[in-house]
Amino acid sequence: MPDDAVTMDKIVSLCKRRGIIFPASEIYGGIANTYDYGHYGVLLKRNVVDAWWQAMIGDRDDIVALDSAIIQHPRTWEASGHLAGFTDPLVDCRTCGQRFRADHLDAEHDVRCPRKPSVLPGQGPDCNLTEAREFNLMFETTIGPVQEAGSTVYLRPETAQGIFLDFKTVLGFARRKPPFGIAQVGKSFRNEITPGNFIFRTLEFEQMEMEYFVPPDDAHRWYLHWLEARMDWYERLGIRADHLRLRAHEQDELSHYSSATSDVEYLYPIGWQELEGIANRGNFDLTQHAEHSGEKLEYFDQQSGERYVPHVIEPAAGVGRATLALLCDAYDEDDLGGEARTVLKLHPQMAPVKVAVLPLVRKDGQPELAHEVRNLLRRRMQTEYDEGGSIGRRYRRQDEIGTPWCVTIDHQSLEDRTVTVRDRDTLTQDRVAIDELPDVLAGKLAAPWTSPKLAA
Ligand code: ATP
């Protein structure tokens, strides 16, 4: 278990208090495993997604972007194996009517009997569980006004299949040859019935998936490459290395299509859990879709005359799980001269707001100068203006959302056009000339960073 102050309850309550992430449909009592992202949550999530695109297509030349449809032809899921095999084993309790994952009825998963929470489902005096049945996780809907045979479609349970369906089209216009990748970010949907642990497991969630197509003989080498590249990426987000690990799947854990899979895991307050899966999918998907569609999904090398079905390495990450890992890794509590403070020590590049501009008082021309400073900064970085409440309370508010710098305008600012820059982590306050402020802050933002929680 983590050794710091963070617990899942504290994260949930901070997120709700500051409107970062909160239960969806709350006025109707909420809906299971479904959350909405408020202003700061959207900004934080966007930083995660931007960092992923940067790593995939900004920093490399061998990957192209795609945004495929959520509802695809239903035969997609026949070919991919999802219709037959994307299931969880479930049991129902005839007494309380609750449904449980049959493979999660152990102490490790912490699922409790609703009538007697001190015991596991099935162990209470009145528990009466059914046999396990396989339950498909895909959400079904229909196309057209009438529900008739052949009109059933599915909300995608992963973004990857859209990439395989478009393989041939993308190959045609992207002017790439293996090794090359296709990357996409978008919503996926799974009818998960298990308790969610906040945004760790939700019914709808955003995935960041990349399918990397390689010559068959090179697959293992590229698998190892992506294991390393993806671990590096999480460290570059500022997540502490000792809270990250790679866990290779055992042979009996592997999906039917995979010859090797490893999970990037993070030490959440609920223990080590999957952040991202990196799989060597072989040629399973392209072969399946070629068989079911009748289209040839292969690569023909004009120079060598070689023709082959590329193998695929897939790093598949969840935006919500990365966001939750950032929140957990950054959460801290400290004592400021006898006053408790909650602070998110986020990597400045990940912080929803980079700088808050705060006039010390709401008079004497300070708000006007503060607006001028805010306008100077807003095109360079996400900036916020706040004049409500004591300066201490405003600092606390910014600390709670992880704003790395607060710029304060005081009476001296009006005399000599300097401001103070307060650092969230060191709490130092430096005087900086307004004219130099944008460059000073941009320099801080670009500087190397490690979590101050490491030194603690
Ligand atoms: P788990 O074993 O936790 O159910 P998985 O192995 O089924 O996850 P994948 O199919 O490999 O997950 O999906 C890739 C990534 O998508 C996961 O590593 C995770 O980050 C994210 N993800 C999958 N299911 C969910 C969900 N229900 N809610 C939030 N994120 C999810």
Side-chain angles (χ1 to χ4, degrees), residues 300-307:
F300 175 61
D301 190 328
Q302 278 174 336
Q303 269 166 1
S304 67
E306 205 189 349
R307 187 182 292 280

Side-chain angles (χ1 to χ4, degrees), residues 4-6 240 327-332 345 450-456:
D4 55 35
V6 66
R240 290 165 294 170
L327 288 167
C328 294
D329 213 66
Y331 184 95
D332 209 1
K345 293 176 173 167
T450 48
S451 170
K453 285 172 77 178
L454 276 175

